[in-house]
Amino acid sequence: MNPQDRAYELVNGFRAAQVVRAAVELKIPDLVAGGAMSAEQLSAATQIDVDRLRRLLRGLVALGVLEQGDDHRLANTEVGELFREGIPGSRRPQARMLIPESYRDWDHLMETLRTGVPGHKLAHRGTLWQTIARDPDFAARFNDAMAGNSEQVVDLVAGLDLAGARLIVDVGGGEGALVGGVLRAHPHLRGIVCDLPAGLAETHQYLAGLGVANRCTTVECDFFVSVPSGGDVYLLKDILHDWDDEHAGAILSICRRAARPGARILIV
Ligand SMILES: C[S@@+](CC[C@H](N)C(=O)[O-])C[C@H]1O[C@@H](n2cnc3c(N)ncnc32)[C@H](O)[C@@H]1O
């Protein structure tokens, strides 16, 4: 791509994100997964006016999410496949979490640069965790997106030597995708997912889906106050980056105090 086009693409990125989000909300990648569909068929399935929908579909073709055959029917590209619901590595949860809420946060980047106030606070009048606590729909989308990210690194953690461990604690573990995946690979282990109440809303269901709910419990906690004690391994995935050094240090100290002697803290 020449520099002119690349520069234009960069300032246009916000439109691409919204086009992808609309496609995901309308489940277009799921609809065409069963076989290529015409714009008219997709219009009937999504209840969106065919003329307006065609404009969106053309955008999706231009962005490489869909491809159009000689018969004008539309199918997923390899990228489009990744926006389907429930497939391994799906980016659908990220599209449903990042674009609606983060989009508004990032609109405040200039003010954040000038003042240091996080964009989320400026856009939502509270911290991310306060928004999540009062908005169960956002909480569910957030937790799903986190689980999707965690599924990508289960093999990395499950591949460690965990033979000497018995109890693994997933601190701020959300749906428990990481500890759940590790438990599935290591039948001798038991687990605990500790998190704020909103983080745990779907955890039992997720763990049951993995078939490990009988070996993994959930505990509500504030990790600045306490985390479950007696663990041999404490997992902190996508936790420390949310905080400044003082808070990150406090979380680590709380984990160290709770851990068995010789326990390991794994930071992802
Ligand atoms: C970025 S998410 C990561 C979730 C999970 N570890 C993963 O990687 O899939 C951060 C998690 O920290 C939790 N959290 C935030 N503040 C917390 C607190 N004070 N005490 C316990 N958990 C907290 C959130 O609810 C959320 O589940």
Side-chain angles (χ1 to χ4, degrees):
M1 188 179 287
N2 68 46
Q4 275 287 344
D5 290 345
R6 176 67 183 138
Y8 189 63
E9 187 184 67
L10 286 175
V11 293
N12 246 321
F14 72 103
R15 290 185 174 129
Q18 291 293 3
V19 166
V20 169
R21 178 193 168 196
V24 163
E25 292 298 344
L26 294 171
K27 295 194 163 195
I28 289 172
D30 298 292
L31 288 167
V32 300
M37 291 172 78
S38 66
E40 289 74 13
Q41 287 171 319
L42 284 167
S43 165
T46 58
Q47 298 289 296
I48 300 287
D49 169 80
V50 70
D51 181 51
R52 290 198 291 271
L53 187 65
R54 239 189 227 110
R55 293 159 196 266
L56 182 81
L57 297 171
R58 276 201 290 271
L60 289 163
V61 171
L63 291 170
V65 176
L66 296 179
E67 57 195 5
Q68 196 164 24
D70 292 340
D71 58 0
H72 297 293
R73 287 175 184 279
L74 296 137
N76 283 327
T77 62
E78 272 182 317
V79 175
E81 279 289 294
L82 289 175
F83 290 115
R84 285 174 57 192
E85 187 165 24
I87 60 151
S90 175
R91 290 299 186 196
R92 176 182 160 82
Q94 282 82 18
R96 297 194 70 230
M97 184 275 284
L98 278 177
I99 303 173
E101 275 81 12
S102 296
Y103 195 85
R104 289 171 54 202
D105 304 350
W106 280 72
D107 198 26
H108 295 273
L109 180 59
M110 282 302 295
E111 200 175 340
T112 296
L113 287 170
R114 290 200 175 106
T115 64
V117 180
H120 190 89
K121 260 193 181 163
L122 295 165
H124 297 267
R125 299 181 191 286
T127 67
L128 175 61
W129 313 117
Q130 287 167 336
T131 309
I132 284 175
R134 65 170 177 257
D135 182 346
D137 174 63
F138 178 37
R141 285 183 288 109
F142 181 88
N143 293 336
D144 259 12
M146 294 307 114
N149 288 340
S150 290
E151 285 162 7
Q152 317 274 327
V153 297
V154 163
D155 289 350
L156 185 76
V157 178
L160 298 172
D161 179 4
L162 298 170
R166 280 177 296 168
L167 178 65
I168 183 160
V169 182
D170 199 348
V171 178
E175 291 189 358
L178 188 53
V179 70
V182 172
L183 291 194
R184 205 149 77 141
H186 295 273
H188 73 283
L189 281 175
R190 302 187 67 79
I192 298 175
V193 183
C194 65
D195 205 309
L196 298 170
L200 295 175
E202 291 88 24
T203 308
H204 183 77
Q205 198 182 339
Y206 185 95
L207 295 169
L210 284 181
V212 298
N214 59 338
R215 287 190 285 129
C216 195
T217 50
T218 57
V219 173
E220 285 182 16
C221 81
D222 175 350
F223 51 42
F224 294 112
V225 178
S226 69
V227 297
S229 61
D232 304 291
V233 177
Y234 286 76
L235 292 176
L236 293 165
K237 177 181 165 289
D238 280 348
I239 298 297
L240 298 181
H241 76 296
D242 283 332
W243 304 97
D244 59 23
D245 286 358
E246 189 190 335
H247 285 89
I251 297 168
L252 288 169
S253 298
I254 298 262
C255 290
R256 191 183 58 174
R257 277 209 293 278
R260 256 179 220 278
R264 280 178 285 175
I265 296 180
L266 299 180
I267 299 164
V268 184

